[in-house]
Amino acid sequence: MSEACFSLSPLSGNHPMSDAPARLAEVRLAIARAEADALRPPGSVTLVAVSKTFGPEAIEPVLAAGQRVFGENRVQEAQGKWPALKVAYPDIELHLIGPLQSNKAKEAVALFDVIHTVDRPSVAQALAKEIARQGRAPRLLVQVNTGEEQQKAGVAPHEADAFIAACRDDYGLAIDGVMCIPPFEQSPGPHFALLAKIARRNGLALLSMGMSSDFETAIEVGATHVRVGSAIFGTR
């Protein structure tokens, strides 16, 4: 299914926060359709609701609608809003989907359940140290810069295998998957296919790819996690 099949026209855009549960329902339905079209089991794709830049007042209605998996870009922003929400909703699963600085590894390991953006040795080393110190092990994904864009984080595709091996062998990290953000101006399909190929040859189960405009294409190619923000929360 192409991303053009997905439309939120009645609800999309900059609408009141009260519309978020209805948009969430539409996204869930679109994911279910994409799973069916790809002959994948229902529920095989995890929706990560990207709540970056939105405060608790915007997140609460989405939590009340049953969503429990959320993505944040910045450690500091997440620290400011999620601890209290986690008290109210203990089953929240929090994903870091933005760049991680090695000096924020302590806070990231303490707060996040999944980190999608392991992309260099200094980050791998810092995470290994904090996981050992805290006794808490978030699931880890390596970010791959499939478009080899200078302004984007991530390991170059031709370096991905060696970096994954180093994370495992040199730092003792359990790497569960890979993540990518395709170039905005390019068709995402080939980038998703490249990421899936990297995952397969490294025995990785998790594929974090696809956002509001292209998650159906990602599901067709094998995404296990799609990161959807504006289609749920509206424009920022």
Side-chain angles (χ1 to χ4, degrees):
M1 179 187 287
S2 72
E3 60 267 32
C5 297
F6 177 58
S7 174
L8 286 172
S9 53
L11 294 169
S12 62
N14 193 8
H15 287 268
M17 289 180 289
S18 58
D19 288 345
R23 290 194 294 266
L24 172 66
E26 290 198 30
V27 170
R28 285 173 167 168
L29 184 60
I31 289 172
R33 285 197 301 260
E35 287 173 336
D37 288 349
L39 303 179
R40 296 181 56 183
S44 58
V45 177
T46 297
L47 169 61
V48 182
V50 180
S51 49
K52 64 177 184 179
T53 78
F54 287 98
E57 71 283 352
I59 297 168
E60 283 273 12
V62 179
L63 280 163
Q67 179 66 22
R68 290 294 182 272
V69 183
F70 291 85
E72 289 285 339
N73 261 38
R74 299 181 183 277
V75 175
Q76 192 168 352
E77 181 190 343
Q79 282 181 300
K81 63 188 180 186
W82 282 102
L85 290 168
K86 279 193 161 190
V87 171
Y89 299 91
D91 55 342
I92 284 171
E93 183 177 288
L94 201 55
H95 292 232
L96 179 64
I97 61 171
L100 175 61
Q101 303 300 321
S102 54
N103 63 358
K104 293 289 185 183
K106 177 181 177 181
E107 293 86 351
V109 169
L111 182 60
F112 289 96
D113 302 292
V114 186
I115 296 172
H116 294 229
T117 51
V118 182
D119 67 345
R120 56 195 185 280
S122 61
V123 168
Q125 184 176 29
L127 286 171
K129 177 183 175 183
E130 285 303 324
I131 287 169
R133 191 181 70 83
Q134 296 184 34
R136 187 175 193 275
R139 302 191 82 178
L140 302 177
L141 287 77
V142 165
Q143 182 172 356
V144 181
N145 186 347
T146 56
E148 299 194 54
E149 298 172 276
Q150 289 188 354
Q151 76 277 16
K152 275 187 185 169
V155 181
H158 65 276
E159 297 173 347
D161 293 1
F163 181 68
I164 292 166
C167 286
R168 290 166 163 166
D169 300 337
D170 298 344
Y171 302 109
L173 294 175
I175 301 297
D176 292 302
V178 282
M179 179 269 247
C180 76
I181 306 170
F184 178 75
E185 71 283 357
Q186 294 182 21
S187 172
H191 294 272
F192 296 155
L194 173 59
L195 194 73
K197 187 176 180 180
I198 292 169
R200 280 195 301 272
R201 69 178 180 235
N202 286 281
L204 300 173
L206 304 187
L207 272 170
S208 171
M209 57 189 193
M211 297 187 285
S212 290
S213 64
D214 57 19
F215 66 80
E216 290 167 312
T217 300
I219 290 170
E220 186 178 357
V221 179
T224 61
H225 291 70
V226 295
R227 311 179 305 271
V228 180
S230 57
I232 296 170
F233 291 100
T235 53
R236 291 171 172 81

